[in-house]
Amino acid sequence: MKITVMTLFPEFFDSFKTTSIIKRALERNQVEFETVDFRPYTKDKHNHVDDTPCGGGQGMVLSPQPIIDCLKDIRNEDSFVIMMSPQGEKFTQQKAREFARNIKHLIILCGHYEGFDERIRSYVDLEISLGDFVLTGGEPAALVISDAIIRLLNGVILEESHEDDSFENGLLEYPQYTRPVEFDGMRVPDVLLSGHHANIKRWRLKQSLKKTLERRPDLLKDREFTEEELCLLKEIKEENNI
């Protein structure tokens, strides 16, 4: 997979490309990641990529010419273009997996200032948002999305390492523990030390359901529960007088 980030600030991604799991994925050619500065594409004699909004208003709006010319130059038949925008579709783990599985070349367009000229949207396949808030630019969101996708690519991390991640099966992840067994008066649950894999699996599913019920009950609203999950939910509600 190739990820191309269109940005006015390519240096924002320098540490991302040279740290930990992402660095190793790049070195092993498991993913190609590049940044493209669209400022050199401007035909403005002063090298501007933005202008004041038509009709008046605060701030500056990104002009269509440099962005669209840049897009035409870098996209190909395998490209899928997303625009970072607070107006976009909410990014989820499922969307990250969909991108990782199905897209060969992802182009991420980062905005800045007061936003994009509306005509740029005609050249975009999908608008994506991280949530109901506004950032100073699309770069932090593009970094988050790239990280979420890259870790799901084949061989980047062990498949088992993200199979139980929060949202992978529609539930929040169960609690995790490591040594020492006892610390500051708090002890690792005995079931995790038992070596009984069936009991451990059941405990983890129950804890995932419990955490989801407590913190994100919306995730359970349309879920098709298994028989085991229904039994565990009943136990949870009885134990907690819900």
Side-chain angles (χ1 to χ4, degrees):
M1 182 182 194
K2 179 179 180 180
I3 298 176
T4 301
V5 179
M6 290 177 55
T7 173
L8 292 172
F9 306 99
E11 65 277 5
F12 184 91
F13 299 88
D14 288 348
S15 62
F16 175 69
K17 295 184 290 184
T18 58
T19 305
S20 188
I21 292 172
I22 305 302
K23 177 184 178 182
R24 292 197 295 272
L26 290 168
E27 290 174 344
R28 296 170 182 167
N29 296 317
Q30 293 164 321
V31 65
E32 184 179 349
F33 183 90
E34 66 175 0
T35 54
V36 176
D37 186 349
F38 55 82
R39 187 179 295 277
Y41 285 84
T42 184
K43 295 177 181 177
D44 181 84
K45 64 180 179 179
H46 300 296
N47 214 32
H48 292 160
V49 294
D50 57 355
D51 208 335
T52 54
C54 293
Q58 297 298 313
M60 304 291 281
V61 176
L62 286 168
S63 303
Q65 179 271 312
I67 290 177
I68 292 170
D69 282 357
C70 180
L71 263 177
K72 288 179 177 179
D73 190 35
I74 65 175
R75 77 187 306 172
N76 56 53
E77 60 183 13
D78 293 326
S79 300
F80 187 83
V81 183
I82 64 173
M83 171 193 285
M84 302 315 309
S85 166
Q87 302 175 24
E89 178 180 322
K90 189 175 180 180
F91 188 67
T92 63
Q93 183 71 11
Q94 286 69 35
K95 184 64 68 177
R97 185 168 289 283
E98 178 185 324
F99 286 169
R101 286 176 174 171
N102 302 323
I103 294 177
K104 294 181 180 179
H105 181 208
L106 180 66
I107 299 175
I108 307 177
L109 174 56
C110 298
H112 218 71
Y113 313 121
E114 284 299 308
F116 298 95
D117 182 293
E118 188 68 19
R119 290 166 289 187
I120 296 171
R121 287 183 160 85
S122 301
Y123 295 81
V124 170
D125 296 304
L126 184 66
E127 294 183 46
I128 290 286
S129 170
L130 291 189
D132 297 338
F133 52 88
V134 179
L135 301 170
T136 55
E139 286 77 15
L143 190 152
V144 168
I145 286 173
S146 297
D147 186 281
I149 293 170
I150 292 172
R151 68 186 295 275
L152 295 176
L153 296 175
N154 289 335
V156 174
I157 61 175
L158 292 174
E159 182 75 16
E160 294 81 1
S161 295
H162 53 72
E163 282 181 345
D164 293 323
D165 283 346
S166 291
F167 309 112
E168 278 294 330
N169 64 350
L171 302 173
L172 300 184
E173 187 179 10
Y174 50 77
Q176 296 275 21
Y177 295 87
T178 188
R179 296 175 180 81
V181 171
E182 189 165 341
F183 177 77
D184 204 19
M186 295 175 285
R187 181 177 170 81
V188 176
D190 289 337
V191 65
L192 298 180
L193 307 172
S194 68
H196 196 299
H197 297 298
N199 287 349
I200 291 172
K201 184 178 180 181
R202 186 179 189 277
W203 180 88
R204 285 176 168 170
L205 177 57
K206 183 176 180 179
Q207 295 305 311
S208 284
L209 286 164
K210 181 181 178 183
K211 187 178 288 189
T212 307
L213 182 63
E214 292 172 346
R215 302 184 184 184
R216 290 291 306 275
D218 57 295
L219 296 176
L220 301 178
K221 185 177 179 182
D222 299 315
R223 183 178 181 83
E224 293 184 10
F225 295 99
T226 64
E227 260 186 57
E228 183 182 22
E229 288 174 346
L230 289 172
C231 289
L232 291 173
L233 270 176
K234 184 179 179 181
E235 285 182 21
I236 293 166
K237 292 178 179 180
E238 289 175 351
E239 292 167 359
N240 294 274
N241 296 317
I242 298 175

